Amino acid sequence: MCVKLTCDILDTRLSTPAVINATLDKLSNKFADRREKHLGYPYNLDFDAWPISQFCKFLINNLGDPYVGSHYATEVCGVEREVVDWFARVWECADPEEYWGAVGASGTEGNLWALYLARETLGNPVLIHSTEAHYSVPKAAKILRIEALTCEADHTGAICPDALREVVQANRHRCVILALTCGTTMKGAHDDIASCISVLDQVGIDPSRRFVHVDGALNAMVLPFVDGLPSGIRPSFRHGIDSMSTSGHKMIGTPMPCGVLVVRREHVRRVASTVSYLRSDDTTLMGSRNGHAVLAIWNRLTRLGIAGFRHFARTCIGRADGFAGALRSASVPVLLNPCSLTVVFPKPSERLVNEYQLACHGNYAHAIVMPNVKADLIDRFVGDYTAEWPCNSRQKVFS
Amino acid sequence: MCVKLTCDILDTRLSTPAVINATLDKLSNKFADRREKHLGYPYNLDFDAWPISQFCKFLINNLGDPYVGSHYATEVCGVEREVVDWFARVWECADPEEYWGAVGASGTEGNLWALYLARETLGNPVLIHSTEAHYSVPKAAKILRIEALTCEADHTGAICPDALREVVQANRHRCVILALTCGTTMKGAHDDIASCISVLDQVGIDPSRRFVHVDGALNAMVLPFVDGLPSGIRPSFRHGIDSMSTSGHKMIGTPMPCGVLVVRREHVRRVASTVSYLRSDDTTLMGSRNGHAVLAIWNRLTRLGIAGFRHFARTCIGRADGFAGALRSASVPVLLNPCSLTVVFPKPSERLVNEYQLACHGNYAHAIVMPNVKADLIDRFVGDYTAEWPCNSRQKVFS
Amino acid sequence: MCVKLTCDILDTRLSTPAVINATLDKLSNKFADRREKHLGYPYNLDFDAWPISQFCKFLINNLGDPYVGSHYATEVCGVEREVVDWFARVWECADPEEYWGAVGASGTEGNLWALYLARETLGNPVLIHSTEAHYSVPKAAKILRIEALTCEADHTGAICPDALREVVQANRHRCVILALTCGTTMKGAHDDIASCISVLDQVGIDPSRRFVHVDGALNAMVLPFVDGLPSGIRPSFRHGIDSMSTSGHKMIGTPMPCGVLVVRREHVRRVASTVSYLRSDDTTLMGSRNGHAVLAIWNRLTRLGIAGFRHFARTCIGRADGFAGALRSASVPVLLNPCSLTVVFPKPSERLVNEYQLACHGNYAHAIVMPNVKADLIDRFVGDYTAEWPCNSRQKVFS
Amino acid sequence: MCVKLTCDILDTRLSTPAVINATLDKLSNKFADRREKHLGYPYNLDFDAWPISQFCKFLINNLGDPYVGSHYATEVCGVEREVVDWFARVWECADPEEYWGAVGASGTEGNLWALYLARETLGNPVLIHSTEAHYSVPKAAKILRIEALTCEADHTGAICPDALREVVQANRHRCVILALTCGTTMKGAHDDIASCISVLDQVGIDPSRRFVHVDGALNAMVLPFVDGLPSGIRPSFRHGIDSMSTSGHKMIGTPMPCGVLVVRREHVRRVASTVSYLRSDDTTLMGSRNGHAVLAIWNRLTRLGIAGFRHFARTCIGRADGFAGALRSASVPVLLNPCSLTVVFPKPSERLVNEYQLACHGNYAHAIVMPNVKADLIDRFVGDYTAEWPCNSRQKVFS
């Protein structure tokens, strides 16, 4: 999968500018080529980050707390706050003043930091997450030494409220961190946030003893723009959640992995400590945050606007429906959750998995209909897939 | 400090491409302007990342383990391994096959991940670090719930072996993580790695009960290129350390904050778990790593080569000596550690602190002589500083 | 007006990469700054050429005839032909196959080459152009040793058909090149192409003895997109003209000066000679043509489309009307031709001429309402202008 | 040879940003690919114009005379003058104040403008050029209606002084423009400037009746940097010439075709006329000149310096010698002029001509050893060429 780099970089006779440039060109060519058939990861590859490329001559470093800034002048904390405000509105924070947020290096960072803030808030809580939660959630628990319990998801990938009730009931004396998912990694399912919170209420885990985080890496930038969305799955702070995160390099479309976390401000105050030499507070995991990622997100949000994301949501959902329909017409069993762009089907041959860069799990695989996945790519894939389908047909599928 | 952005980005009438472009231009102008007088942070601003800017049209994402790669084709794990190999040689790893490394989002990430690996290796260790260690070290301990003890540094900022012995002695029954620093944040001091390890040996904390991490964010890319370096402070795996990290955006010079961690491979094996849908192992904190940062480091290492870094080290040390000498001639008390680029002096007026973006701590401040800090900038600063010096002269300085 | 460059470039001790980069940054800052108040030249500065910037690593050279291409592989003759086709349709060429075109270095090149083709076609013709024609027209006549006669324009800047008749009548025994203008430089006037050609017909200069060129540098990319345009001034090959040219860096918006010429193919055949080593024909002035300019035009045409240019035309005409109205309300005499974006008014003080980069001629000046000239810039200028207006009021204006 | 562009750009449904971007990527890939085997054109493809790419957001237009500048603020006339000064020194102008120069769109433009200035100076001169002069020289004569006479070159491609004497003698009553070549297109030959001028002297064409132009497109940026250069062929104003031009995209290495002309200032004064609305003089062919080309040349001159071009000259001459030697060892007849980079040999098969983008003329072809033509490319070509050599061996070669 890797390009063989032709120069041994310790051998300075070989690493001339011409060789270095040729290596970069080779990479660029390979990337352009492979992008065309990409189908498996939830990355919107139709972005245009050229206006941001002019900043490659600057080290843009957001140091310390985004709301305090730092002494280092080549920073974009002001832009970072604009970005967070945008999310705070889209995710329906009642009073943006009561929220804090930051742009981080990935969705994983958002989950880890949210769970850290939760732990610091609740002392010695138990974490409950579904079996379909992203692997970064149990990893964060391990890193943070938080006890974690899983709760079963149904066959669509969403948490089953009854299963949740059982786990919560068994831990009703403890403080609880509940990690929900808006768009599970493999099946694109949406946990019903409203129902899950009412389970906590019913069992008697009142707000002072709980912290609800929503991992919206996949779809927290899709669902707000869907017409006729069921209110329970809407990624919104109105449900009474404590934090929500999403990725920048998925539906938004940025050249680097990055993420955004929004959290109730009170939870951050607890961990803030002052770093005198930065003249800032230490309220983020990394300390240094990549300003280019901040600009890349801002560039997309401002150029696309709400209307642009609505257009994406409508078009992609339409195409995902068509995609699923085409497979079903060929008697392929397909899972496509409502308001979701993730089309799940039995795993094809290794050749197709590689060619289309499909993500697989067990005996199934998925494709994700991002804005760059157009009709012709879908048609080509469906053709290739159904051509070999009879050979796969005896395999066991989604239970 | 922040540019006031003129557009409310939710108001789509206002966020036209022209307004967005004008906002970006305004930022670019501000950055070019402020860069000229930058003196306080250890950032080599003389880099030229233009060849990398062509990749802004791709989402380059290194997923999973750098040595396994992933299914996603727009990745540069091969380049990442080349980068790690380069460091493994510069840091004198005996057999590069026995080491593992990765490019992360910052020096903080390197420290956090190293301490996490240490904790997983040793079970329930105690962490010992100096009072001059970077704030990310105690922060990592807090996040990881590792008990942390500090040990006094001497007035130059380096760990005092006797103080270390005392702390170790008191914890001789425990497993110990020792976090040393190659270039302390405020004073640019270098802990004597050889002496500190021999303290562990003498007290009887044998290698199976210890994990030594060197935080080389500041100077692990400076000292290997200094002529006549005392062997005890050389950032080298030959001392028997377990991990070392450095920053990419400091002496190397990259447009985004980033860092490199190299660690003995055996420690990583312990935490690896397989993520089936990525077809990779989950051996890094973030899961997703910024491929542009990998390319930016590679671009610098290959273009500069060993000779380039030697030239940087020689020139900067010479200029730092001249800088310190000029202040001393004006009777200013100055601290400049051997082989260091950090010039420490009494804190000047708030006006100069802001103008030169100086980092301050208590009653002192520092400037760091990176390759972009040339004679004319130093002269200008020394002139401005000494002009107001009598007003500062009665303040208490370094004890 | 010039940035003083700080380095003597022959002194290699001084021209280090850092100094070179700093010089470029200084230029970039100055440009961003001065662009904000630009009002005098017909340049659409609201373009976004970033996607083209990635090609700066290639020498893109269109050698020889655009319809033949050459042996050199890094060329975009295919794109150049697409661009010419686009113009051929917008300018209503009946059968695109009968036309030839190319992208050149400027509008001047288009005029020069058209007049050269005319001279080669007609032998020893006389050139007739108006007193308001661009200075490149008489310059081309001088270079080409063509006898040139001027014909009076009326006070709006357009050719007066009666004046034209008189000049043609006096030369009725000769072959005639008639150079018309679609958007005169100073007054933005449009010669009535249909009326002028019927003058030739009436005097008896039949098509075999004439060559009509339209210099559409200013407005041949504006008028085709205006609603309710009088048919006589439409820049169209339907009038029976022989060639038309326009600029790329005006309404289209490119980072470099460039132009497009479209001409009846028969005229080009006459001059074609084969250049064996290029494996192409030598049908253009330059031989080598800048492929980046070709891409820059193509990038704009494809991204904007007909709809984009219609939007520009509508918006700019509306703003120009408002601009003229605001000056007239302050009793300033103003000339604004129909369907034109050039607002002409008495020359203000030298301070304002410099601040807004106004083009002046005799006692008047003009501003041109390009898409980047927004309401706030117009308002600011009108305010500054009218504030000093009484001091100017006694000066003689347009006769 | 052309990439088939997939979108009909008038069909706006098809020209979405994604399609446009994909088309640009396809071009970029093709270019990177074909560049690797390029051998036939004298283009130094090892340039790095990234620092210039940041200016793609500005329309940089040098209007009017480079020494006057214009009202338009986004111009680099100051940089253009620095560039011209650099050439004036390298080409040994005694007093730079007595010279005028400009950056134009190509070498052809330089030749045309020089011959135009010559014609305006001498009234009704005859032009003498060799049969090996670039095709732009007779083309310029045709455009300018100057009578042109050719004079034979010897078998190496250089003017034979006796042949020249004969032509001059026959025209001794006329004013004479003599166009010499420093690096002929096909054979890389250098006319002996000193000998040719002494022919004029001997026949009695004194300086007031002559104008000597040197077309240095190919080698006027190579010979000044060659050790032990015979003084007669040195491209230098000390010989008493009137003008000299070279290309920017050949040895210098720029992404766009461009050229530089230096001429005695007195010749320019004659044609200068004032363009009031530009507040400049009209002393150039184009009026508008591409500022990006000016920056691209400046960027190369400053970064490479004299030392860089010396290194190029030495390395390339060495490689050209090796190249010629390798062919001769296989009994291939080869022409390689002294101090030249052009290796001439019998034309190979059409397959090799295409693969290596060779320029051919009659029964021979050439390769040009520019800095990007490294040993491995030469070896590969020599291998391919000699493999088919016996099949070619009976063809007639250089007389």
Side-chain angles (χ1 to χ4, degrees), chain A residues 50-52 54-55 298-299 302-303, chain B residues 7 15-28, chain C residues 32 35-36 45-50 300, chain D residues 57:
Chain A
W50 291 109
I52 297 306
Q54 66 184 305
F55 289 97
W298 184 88
N299 188 54
T302 53
R303 287 186 208 260
Chain B
C7 58
S15 65
T16 63
V19 171
I20 296 166
N21 292 338
T23 304
L24 295 175
D25 288 348
K26 217 186 292 178
L27 271 174
S28 177
Chain C
R35 186 174 48 182
E36 295 311 298
L45 303 180
D46 257 6
F47 60 82
D48 209 342
W50 290 108
R300 289 292 281 179
Chain D
K57 63 184 172 180

Side-chain angles (χ1 to χ4, degrees), chain C residues 94-131:
Chain C
D95 174 4
E97 294 295 307
E98 283 307 299
Y99 292 84
W100 177 99
V103 172
S106 67
T108 293
E109 183 179 339
N111 288 338
L112 177 63
W113 199 241
L115 297 188
Y116 171 64
L117 294 175
R119 191 193 74 183
E120 296 303 290
T121 298
L122 300 177
N124 185 28
V126 64
L127 166 68
I128 302 173
H129 64 83
S130 106
T131 49

Side-chain angles (χ1 to χ4, degrees), chain C residues 15-16 39 50 53 73 114 127 164 169 206 261 285 297 338:
Chain C
S15 66
T16 62
L39 208 56
W50 290 108
S53 69
L127 166 68
L164 176 63
Q169 188 72 38
D206 66 55
L261 173 68
L285 175 59
I297 295 177

Side-chain angles (χ1 to χ4, degrees), chain D residues 58-131:
Chain D
F58 298 115
L59 165 57
I60 316 184
N61 194 355
N62 279 9
L63 287 161
D65 186 277
Y67 295 80
V68 179
S70 80
H71 232 46
Y72 178 61
T74 308
E75 51 94 275
V76 287
C77 285
V79 181
E80 190 176 11
R81 291 192 300 269
E82 281 211 26
V83 163
V84 171
D85 272 2
W86 204 89
F87 285 96
R89 294 188 206 184
V90 165
W91 293 341
E92 306 185 316
C93 293
D95 174 3
E97 294 294 308
E98 283 306 301
Y99 292 85
W100 177 99
V103 172
S106 67
T108 294
E109 182 180 340
N111 288 339
L112 175 64
W113 198 242
L115 297 188
Y116 171 64
L117 294 175
R119 190 193 75 183
E120 296 303 291
T121 299
L122 299 176
N124 186 26
V126 65
L127 166 69
I128 302 173
H129 64 85
S130 106
T131 49

